[in-house]
């Protein structure tokens, strides 16, 4: 018996020989932990940056997006459960793509960034780290789309090769994390602060689920925490829930709930609060927080209007708009 | 006249006892289920090791050594040698 303890995420899985961690893809073979999906993605697509969603990072650009099987969370409402809730050996489609091949493919497709996304890239950490380092060497940027359930030391090291993240803040309630996601809140908050400390451009997504995390008092608390710890200019995406996986008993989030939540988050001090998964809503677009000028108009993932100056300022009042333009 | 009445009372008492016992059993079951649901990991998953090994040998998966792990301590393995 050569049992090992994984120190990548707060689960701290104690894994006997021949078993996998909670994520299904980090496997103890012969007393050594193996990253079995390294170089073996199961999903590769070219997406608009707005799909991540990142609204203040190279808007309108294409991003080469990939994922392997596995995840360290088990969200009841997972939209990618066929990918995330499986081990590599359970996947029908497994491609062979080493880091150099991925970077070359991204360049061929005209992408200026790579996104590690769909499942949680934390569990294919080594693959992300090697690919992102190569991408940087070729002048490309790296986007990490994550639930941020990771220990601080590994995250700090990974941040050296990351440029932007969209991180889920699924609720501002530890009980919600335990019941719905199989995780806890505190390590997520610590990770978000780490992203800020390491200078990674950070946007947050909060999926608003009717009756479970749509309480306005909680949304206000969450917004106040973001203002205090990450800054008032941190974009927050309030996204509409659709019934999926093991949570088909709840209806989609009413648009009015999202609009009310957006108002509450803005009143709490956040300058950029967006509504996601609602096509054509006013909340899809970026406005100057100083004079209200429409800066970037969006409908879904499409940019319909871009008035931002080349220096990333409001054309009317010259207010600098935070982001990587 | 008294006998049937007493029998009925006994039957009702038994029925109420059964109801109370069922309630206790349901509460115990729910408590255990909620504890399991609230458990946030730290364990491991039993996988089809042969399938993983076969896929590694065929090149569909990799045996690249992972970062961020260490041998477990006896405390973590419940006193068994790690």
């Amino acid at each position: 018996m050569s049992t090992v303890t994984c120190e990548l995420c707060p689960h701290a899985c104690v894994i006997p020989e021949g078993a996998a961690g909670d994520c299904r893809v980090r496997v103890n073979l012969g007393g050594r932990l193996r990253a079995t999906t390294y170089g073996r993605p199961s999903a590769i697509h070219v997406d608009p940056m707005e799909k991540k969603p990142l609204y203040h990072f190279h808007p309108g650009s294409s991003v080469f997006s990939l994922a392997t099987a596995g995840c360290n969370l088990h969200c009841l409402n997972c939209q990618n459960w066929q990918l995330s809730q499986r081990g590599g050996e359970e996947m029908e489609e497994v491609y062979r793509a080493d880091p150099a091949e991925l970077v070359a493919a991204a360049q061929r497709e005209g992408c200026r960034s790579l996104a590690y996304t769909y499942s949680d890239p934390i569990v294919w950490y080594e693959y992300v780290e090697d690919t992102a380092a190569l991408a940087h060497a070729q002048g490309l940027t790296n986007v990490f789309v994550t639930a941020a359930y990771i220990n601080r030391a590994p995250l700090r090291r990974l941040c050296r090769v990351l440029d932007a993240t969209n991180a889920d803040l699924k609720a501002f309630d530890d009980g919600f994390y335990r019941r719905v996601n199989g995780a806890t809140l505190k390590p997520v908050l610590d990770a978000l602060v780490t992203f800020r400390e390491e200078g990674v451009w950070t946007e947050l997504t909060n999926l608003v689920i009717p009756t479970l995390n749509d309480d306005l008092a909680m949304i206000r608390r969450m917004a106040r925490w973001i203002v205090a710890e990450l800054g008032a200019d941190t974009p927050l995406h309030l996204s509409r829930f659709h019934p999926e996986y093991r949570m088909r008993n709840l209806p989609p989030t009413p648009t009015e709930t999202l609009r009310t939540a957006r108002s509450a988050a803005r009143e709490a001090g956040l300058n950029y609060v967006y509504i996601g998964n609602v096509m054509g809503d006013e909340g899809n677009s970026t406005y100057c927080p100083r004079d209200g000028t429409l800066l970037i108009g969006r409908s879904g993932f499409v940019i319909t209007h871009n008035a931002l100056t080349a220096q990333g300022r409001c054309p009317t009042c010259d207010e600098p708009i935070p982001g990587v333009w | 006249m008294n006998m049937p009445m007493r029998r009925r009372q006994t039957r009702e008492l038994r029925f109420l006892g059964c109801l109370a016992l069922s309630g206790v059993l349901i509460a115990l079951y729910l408590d255990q289920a909620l504890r399991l649901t609230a458990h946030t990991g730290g364990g491991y998953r039993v996988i089809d090791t042969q399938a993983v090994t076969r896929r590694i040998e065929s090149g569909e998966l990799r045996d690249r050594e992972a970062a961020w792990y260490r041998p477990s301590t006896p405390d973590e393995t419940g006193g068994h040698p790690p």
Side-chain angles (χ1 to χ4, degrees), chain A residues 62-130:
Chain A
S62 295
V63 52
F64 193 84
S65 307
L66 67 135
T68 84
C71 189
N72 57 341
L73 265 63
H74 311 292
C75 306
L76 300 178
N77 57 304
C78 183
Q79 296 183 342
N80 295 317
W81 61 272
Q82 295 97 332
L83 178 72
S84 68
Q85 303 302 310
R86 285 180 173 172
E89 76 284 3
E90 297 170 292
M91 298 303 298
E92 291 88 20
E93 296 282 347
V94 177
Y95 309 110
R96 300 177 190 208
D98 283 338
E101 292 172 278
L102 284 180
V103 173
Q107 288 173 316
R108 262 200 318 274
E109 295 290 336
C111 299
R112 63 197 298 185
S113 315
L114 282 91
Y116 312 95
T117 179
Y118 306 132
S119 60
D120 202 308
I122 287 168
V123 304
W124 29 288
Y125 181 97
E126 298 78 10
Y127 191 29
V128 174
E129 191 177 34
D130 291 355

Side-chain angles (χ1 to χ4, degrees), chain B residues 16-32:
Chain B
L16 286 173
C18 281
L19 272 184
L21 185 64
S22 302
V24 169
L25 289 175
I26 289 169
L28 285 173
Y29 171 78
L30 285 177
D31 178 58
Q32 191 189 12

Side-chain angles (χ1 to χ4, degrees), chain A residues 125 128-129 132 136 142 144 150-165 190-202:
Chain A
Y125 181 97
V128 174
E129 191 177 34
H136 264 186
N142 295 300
F144 197 64
I150 182 171
N151 286 332
R152 273 193 149 164
L155 179 58
R156 228 176 259 289
R157 191 172 95 185
L158 194 61
C159 281
R160 290 184 211 155
V161 289
L162 298 181
D163 301 283
T165 182
D190 290 345
L192 299 181
V193 171
T194 304
F195 279 127
R196 178 186 58 76
E197 288 170 349
E198 295 297 322
V200 176
W201 175 256
T202 301

Side-chain angles (χ1 to χ4, degrees), chain A:
Chain A
M1 281 281 282
S2 300
T3 304
V4 301
T5 300
C6 183
E7 297 183 310
L8 180 60
C9 92
H11 284 317
C13 293
V14 177
I15 311 167
E17 209 172 314
D22 194 46
C23 59
R24 295 181 166 90
V25 294
R26 301 176 80 79
V27 180
N28 179 351
L29 292 175
R32 297 167 81 174
L33 198 63
R34 315 295 173 125
T36 56
T37 57
Y38 185 100
R40 299 294 181 264
S42 288
I44 299 179
H45 300 284
V46 174
D47 288 334
M49 189 63 81
E50 284 68 22
K51 192 177 175 183
K52 300 300 107 190
L54 283 174
Y55 282 7
H56 291 230
F57 187 82
H58 299 313
S61 66
S62 295
V63 52
F64 193 84
S65 307
L66 67 135
T68 84
C71 189
N72 57 341
L73 265 63
H74 311 292
C75 306
L76 300 178
N77 57 304
C78 183
Q79 296 183 342
N80 295 317
W81 61 272
Q82 295 97 332
L83 178 72
S84 68
Q85 303 302 310
R86 285 180 173 172
E89 76 284 3
E90 297 170 292
M91 298 303 298
E92 291 88 20
E93 296 282 347
V94 177
Y95 309 110
R96 300 177 190 208
D98 283 338
E101 292 172 278
L102 284 180
V103 173
Q107 288 173 316
R108 262 200 318 274
E109 295 290 336
C111 299
R112 63 197 298 185
S113 315
L114 282 91
Y116 312 95
T117 179
Y118 306 132
S119 60
D120 202 308
I122 287 168
V123 304
W124 29 288
Y125 181 97
E126 298 78 10
Y127 191 29
V128 174
E129 191 177 34
D130 291 355
T131 307
L134 268 180
H136 264 186
Q138 296 293 320
L140 304 177
T141 57
N142 295 300
V143 170
F144 197 64
V145 182
T146 179
Y149 198 61
I150 182 171
N151 286 332
R152 273 193 149 164
L155 179 58
R156 228 176 259 289
R157 191 172 95 185
L158 194 61
C159 281
R160 290 184 211 155
V161 289
L162 298 181
D163 301 283
T165 182
N166 185 297
D168 283 342
L169 183 49
K170 293 174 183 291
F172 207 63
D173 172 20
D174 188 66
F176 178 96
Y177 265 93
R178 287 172 188 271
R179 285 190 304 275
V180 178
N181 313 113
T184 52
L185 174 62
K186 175 74 167 54
V188 175
L189 300 181
D190 290 345
L192 299 181
V193 171
T194 304
F195 279 127
R196 178 186 58 76
E197 288 170 349
E198 295 297 322
V200 176
W201 175 256
T202 301
E203 301 191 19
L204 303 176
T205 293
N206 174 237
L207 186 77
V208 181
I209 306 176
T211 72
L212 296 186
N213 67 349
D214 58 353
D215 174 47
L216 278 184
M218 185 179 73
I219 288 169
R220 280 192 198 97
R221 277 202 312 279
M222 177 173 75
R224 282 198 291 267
W225 181 88
I226 296 168
V227 171
E229 299 295 332
L230 308 179
D233 287 336
T234 307
L236 171 65
H237 300 260
L238 297 166
S239 288
R240 183 183 210 185
F241 159 84
H242 290 284
E244 290 283 352
Y245 190 37
R246 294 179 179 172
M247 201 180 277
R248 291 171 189 268
N249 56 321
L250 293 174
T253 319
T255 309
E256 206 42 50
T257 303
L258 294 166
R259 289 180 181 150
T260 312
R262 179 170 179 251
S263 298
R266 293 172 79 188
E267 280 160 21
L270 284 173
N271 289 327
Y272 305 95
V273 186
Y274 298 103
I275 289 180
N277 295 341
V278 180
M279 185 80 107
D281 192 90
E282 182 195 56
N284 294 168
S285 299
T286 304
Y287 300 87
C288 175
R290 191 162 158 201
D291 68 4
T293 300
L294 173 64
L295 300 172
I296 302 177
R298 299 181 190 84
S299 181
F301 303 138
V302 178
I303 290 182
T304 54
H305 168 90
N306 192 346
L308 208 62
T309 68
Q311 292 74 35
R313 289 174 176 268
C314 171
T316 313
C317 69
D318 208 35
E319 173 83 356
I321 307 300
V324 181
W325 311 112

